[in-house]
Amino acid sequence: MARLDIANVTKLFGATRAVDDFSITVTDGELVCLLGPSGSGKSTLLRMIGGFEKPTYGSMTIDGEEVIHLPPEKRPTGMVFQSHALWSHMNVFKNIAFGLKLRRLPKAEITQRVEAVLDLVGLKGFGERLTHQLSGGQQQRVALARSLVLEPKILLLDEPFASLDQHLRERLREEVRDIQQRLKITTLFVTHAQDEALSVADRIVVLRDGRTEQIAKPAEVYRTPATPFVAGFIGQMNLISGVVSEGEFGHSAFNVPVAVADGPATLAVRPEALTLKPASGVGMGHVHRVTDYGTHAMIDVELPDGERLKSMMPTADEWSSMQQVDLVPGAFALYRDNAAIYRADVGTPPRKAPSRTRGTVNA
Amino acid sequence: MAETLTIPRGRIDFPGIGFAIVLSAVIIFPLIVVGTWAFTEVWRYPNVVPQQFGLRFWNQTLSRADVWSALTLSLQLSTVVTLLSAAICLPAAYAFARMTFPGRNVLFFSFLAGHAFPKFGLLVAIAAIFLQLNLIGTFWGVVLIQLVGTLLFMIWIPVAAFQSVDRRMEEAARDVGASPLRVFWSITLPQAGPTIAAAVLLSFVGTFYETEGAWLIGAPGIRTMPVLMITFINNQMVIQYGAVLSVLLWVPSFIALLFARRIIGGGAFARGFGG
Ligand SMILES: Nc1ncnc2c1ncn2[C@@H]1O[C@H](COP(=O)(O)OP(=O)(O)OP(=O)(O)O)[C@@H](O)[C@H]1O
Ligand SMILES: [Mg+2]
């Protein structure tokens, strides 16, 4: 239970800005996911909180106390590494007990606390096992137990399940979420899997090249992404570039009315918000491919300029390749200069671009 | 490249057989001859097999005071040199493996330099210096010269061992509250343990058999086992003295080998030492 304040933290590795002017306040018992592509600075940020890297600028406080100058062993943080980093020359019990022994606790208390935490992570009776006698998922549970047993104020997880298969990952992240909520432990969870972030986080931080793109609740990140990068990174998204002129976003295939100033812009619409209508005669585009997922169908539509959009429809039955279709966007957003400038919750039906202006809108 | 390494099935591997024969000739044959001599009482030309076997020369050799004092001395020397070498080299190796400091690479390769030149020339030069320091013919003089001989593998092998220890393991130990010193003692050292044990063993056995330095610096006051054996072989008409001593000298390397099998075998390198 603790509050973490990070203010204007920057980390330079030579000329690389691994983390660039990052700030956040994580409150008591909150689980924040750091999400971003490879090299976006997630691990660097986490390692700075754990004390393994020193920020070039900025400050970090835990419960109001500056921790920047403390080495890892003096910080009230517990870190779980992607590679679990269990000590292979000790058995499970000794791995978990090591930190308690360093704190010179009585033997009976150590045993009791190790047993309790083994029970918590679902590994009752595994104490005598050697670490290489465990499966990948069990090893990560031990690594988690090793941190949890010390009751850290802040729990740091750096892609703890990245090396595990999909099913195990889903199960373990739910277990971690349960444990985190039961212990009400302030947690930072690094991942580059958006489904992981969406399913466990109280808030998501989207990072790109060391900079914050958005900090918001999962639903908000999904529904109202702050930048085209976030829009494209979380979930599936159609991003269409075009030009706004006289109150209409124009693309070679269609125009949509929008209330923004003239200039270039990017339109973002999710597949589930993009409905199709069979066209009478020549439509805005034609069906390129139909993928039936059982619960829904994904239709790839090709526009006359060769660009492809995805549309999610309830069934695959009505659609076939080469069929002429019209597009009906529901909710969409418009971005300019890396920021949202317009959002439409219910779409106004688009107008097919008059054939004489085709190809000139983008020019 | 791989196909050149596999031996075609069903064909006789002539180079391999030839290699095995040469190996047996140069290693096994002399061993058998020396081993036979050690248990021989009478063996005159032109007989292929000794006329009379017996343990007479074992009694004679083992009842000599100079043999026992040489053995004790050799064991003392090897132990002292190995302990000193470990105390000096292991922290240094850790520093080389984990830290960056000015002159690191130059210093690192200087350990190799000691072995890059003809050893005997170097020894003579050192002997000249030791003469000034009154170290010739003393125990500590020999310790010093043999210590230099162990530096190479007591630095290079442990450096490799420390470097291969997963840094995340060390960081995880810091994370649960261990100081850097504690991390070295409880995580890094046990992880690198099997490899380092091999280096220590190599250092012990190498020191035990070292003759050039021991002879050049130690003579005449300090006579180690190998030096004594050479003296026997050179000066005595009785072949058996030398033969018995060589058989005796196999014992430490044999024990070392068995010990090495125990610690190095069984995947210990991958696992680290159990603790
Ligand atoms: N010790 C280091 N020295 C130099 N550059 C580094 C170091 N550690 C990280 N970097 C650089 O900092 C940037 C951020 O790296 P970081 O490991 O934080 O990314 P990440 O988001 O964790 O990526 P991944 O998802 O691949 O783990 C990268 O450009 C990386 O090359
Ligand atoms: Mg990372």
Side-chain angles (χ1 to χ4, degrees):
Chain A
M1 287 254 265
R3 171 195 168 101
L4 170 72
D5 284 285
I6 301 178
N8 308 102
V9 161
T10 294
K11 176 68 185 178
L12 303 175
F13 289 113
T16 315
R17 275 180 183 269
V19 172
D20 195 0
D21 197 22
F22 182 85
S23 302
I24 193 175
T25 294
V26 185
T27 54
D28 238 10
E30 194 181 14
L31 192 156
V32 170
C33 264
L34 302 174
L35 180 63
S38 189
S40 55
K42 309 179 296 287
S43 296
T44 307
L45 191 56
L46 211 67
R47 289 171 59 77
M48 284 193 284
I49 302 169
F52 300 106
E53 305 283 358
K54 212 167 145 20
T56 316
Y57 316 107
S59 100
M60 286 184 179
T61 62
I62 296 173
D63 283 342
E65 204 180 316
E66 184 63 64
V67 294
I68 287 248
H69 304 288
L70 297 179
E73 63 267 27
K74 300 249 164 63
R75 293 198 188 192
T77 53
M79 181 128 166
V80 178
F81 297 84
Q82 176 178 344
S83 58
H84 66 71
L86 294 178
W87 304 305
S88 54
H89 58 289
M90 302 181 187
N91 64 19
V92 169
F93 183 93
K94 284 180 175 159
N95 263 276
I96 299 172
F98 185 66
L100 296 171
K101 276 188 195 144
L102 291 173
R103 284 160 180 72
R104 302 186 189 289
L105 294 185
K107 228 181 168 128
E109 191 185 341
I110 292 180
T111 310
Q112 179 250 317
R113 279 175 70 169
V114 173
E115 297 298 342
V117 80
L118 274 175
D119 199 17
L120 182 71
V121 298
L123 287 178
K124 212 180 168 103
F126 279 70
E128 295 308 312
R129 292 271 192 109
L130 288 172
T131 56
H132 69 265
Q133 295 168 331
L134 300 173
S135 71
Q138 291 167 338
Q139 286 172 336
Q140 281 303 2
R141 285 172 214 245
V142 175
L144 183 67
R146 183 171 68 180
S147 288
L148 287 178
V149 79
L150 300 173
E151 295 169 2
K153 286 187 171 179
I154 313 259
L155 183 64
L156 306 169
L157 306 158
D158 191 354
E159 307 203 27
F161 311 132
S163 59
L164 307 177
D165 70 58
Q166 182 69 22
H167 282 294
L168 196 54
R169 238 171 56 192
E170 279 170 21
R171 214 175 77 206
L172 278 177
R173 78 181 178 219
E174 272 157 32
E175 284 179 24
V176 163
R177 179 62 166 159
D178 284 348
I179 290 172
Q180 184 265 340
Q181 298 212 308
R182 216 174 328 151
L183 304 180
K184 301 212 179 345
I185 185 167
T186 309
T187 303
L188 276 97
F189 190 125
V190 164
T191 178
H192 61 238
Q194 38 127 342
D195 60 325
E196 203 153 276
L198 290 170
S199 63
V200 300
D202 290 316
R203 273 193 301 161
I204 294 178
V205 177
V206 183
L207 288 170
R208 177 202 196 182
D209 295 336
R211 272 191 301 276
T212 310
E213 292 273 316
Q214 185 169 14
I215 301 181
K217 290 188 160 41
E220 201 181 327
V221 170
Y222 189 83
R223 285 206 202 101
T224 55
T227 68
F229 174 79
V230 177
F233 192 71
I234 311 253
Q236 284 191 313
M237 183 69 91
N238 297 302
L239 291 168
I240 308 153
S241 36
V243 173
V244 179
S245 86
E246 292 165 14
E248 276 193 355
F249 172 85
H251 177 267
S252 57
F254 59 89
N255 290 348
V256 192
V258 289
V260 295
D262 290 1
T266 303
L267 182 129
V269 56
R270 296 227 179 256
E272 62 263 34
L274 188 65
T275 346
L276 298 184
K277 227 172 47 188
S280 44
V282 179
M284 293 178 192
H286 66 265
V287 174
H288 170 71
R289 186 188 346 194
V290 180
T291 316
D292 195 344
Y293 287 99
T295 52
H296 62 275
M298 198 60 89
I299 324 286
D300 290 13
V301 177
E302 189 169 311
L303 303 182
D305 63 352
E307 195 167 344
R308 286 189 189 149
L309 305 180
K310 282 183 184 302
S311 162
M312 194 161 117
M313 299 298 285
T315 65
D317 301 342
E318 304 158 41
W319 313 101
S320 57
S321 190
M322 296 315 289
Q323 183 182 355
Q324 290 290 327
V325 290
D326 281 330
L327 306 165
V328 187
F332 70 89
L334 213 58
Y335 295 93
R336 183 181 290 164
D337 297 330
N338 208 35
I341 50 170
Y342 182 79
R343 287 187 200 282
D345 284 336
V346 202
T348 333
R351 181 165 68 74
K352 187 176 152 194
S355 41
R356 62 180 195 292
T357 62
R358 258 187 202 174
T360 60
V361 180
N362 274 329
Chain B
M1 286 308 287
E3 70 268 24
T4 62
L5 293 175
T6 57
I7 296 153
R9 243 170 235 271
R11 292 240 320 262
I12 298 170
D13 178 19
F14 286 109
I17 292 175
F19 194 64
I21 291 172
V22 172
L23 257 187
S24 327
V26 298
I27 295 177
I28 314 255
F29 185 67
L31 283 183
I32 291 173
V33 172
V34 172
T36 315
W37 265 116
F39 296 95
T40 293
E41 290 184 4
V42 185
W43 190 0
R44 285 193 204 87
Y45 185 81
N47 266 29
V48 185
V49 180
Q51 280 89 347
Q52 195 185 338
F53 287 102
L55 290 176
R56 186 153 57 90
F57 288 96
W58 280 83
N59 280 331
Q60 286 188 11
T61 313
L62 292 182
S63 60
R64 292 178 65 118
D66 54 356
V67 168
W68 285 107
S69 65
L71 183 64
T72 326
L73 180 71
S74 277
L75 288 175
Q76 278 171 351
L77 264 176
S78 307
T79 311
V80 169
V81 168
T82 305
L83 288 182
L84 272 180
S85 184
I88 296 167
C89 294
L90 293 185
Y94 185 71
F96 278 125
R98 281 288 190 259
M99 295 163 202
T100 48
F101 47 86
R104 176 178 175 275
N105 287 345
V106 175
L107 204 61
F108 190 41
F109 280 97
S110 70
F111 288 106
L112 188 65
H115 289 251
F117 306 111
K119 201 174 165 208
F120 209 73
L122 197 70
L123 282 176
V124 171
I126 293 175
I129 299 169
F130 278 19
L131 202 58
Q132 301 280 316
L133 301 172
N134 281 330
L135 281 170
I136 296 290
T138 65
F139 181 81
W140 292 104
V142 177
V143 166
L144 220 55
I145 196 76
Q146 294 190 326
L147 195 59
V148 173
T150 63
L151 287 185
L152 178 75
F153 41 75
M154 281 298 272
I155 293 274
W156 279 50
I157 297 176
V159 164
F162 286 140
Q163 274 174 341
S164 67
V165 173
D166 184 359
R167 285 216 138 172
R168 299 276 180 265
M169 281 194 198
E170 296 177 334
E171 289 183 343
R174 291 290 294 277
D175 197 55
V176 300
S179 65
L181 203 68
R182 184 65 198 248
V183 173
F184 176 76
W185 185 251
S186 294
I187 308 297
T188 318
L189 208 55
Q191 282 289 325
T195 317
I196 286 172
V200 169
L201 210 65
L202 209 62
S203 158
F204 185 88
V205 173
T207 308
F208 192 89
Y209 290 115
E210 201 277 337
T211 36
E212 292 161 327
W215 178 70
L216 206 68
I217 304 294
I222 300 292
R223 270 213 284 187
T224 64
M225 273 296 262
V227 170
L228 186 70
M229 190 183 79
I230 291 172
T231 329
F232 278 3
I233 292 168
N234 288 346
N235 304 343
Q236 306 270 336
M237 292 319 290
V238 187
I239 296 175
Q240 283 88 334
Y241 283 156
V244 167
L245 274 198
S246 2
V247 172
L248 267 182
L249 278 182
W250 293 344
V251 174
S253 65
F254 226 82
I255 294 172
L257 256 177
L258 289 179
F259 187 58
R261 260 184 60 88
R262 231 181 68 82
I263 57 169
I264 295 168
F269 271 121
R271 233 182 12 247
F273 274 157

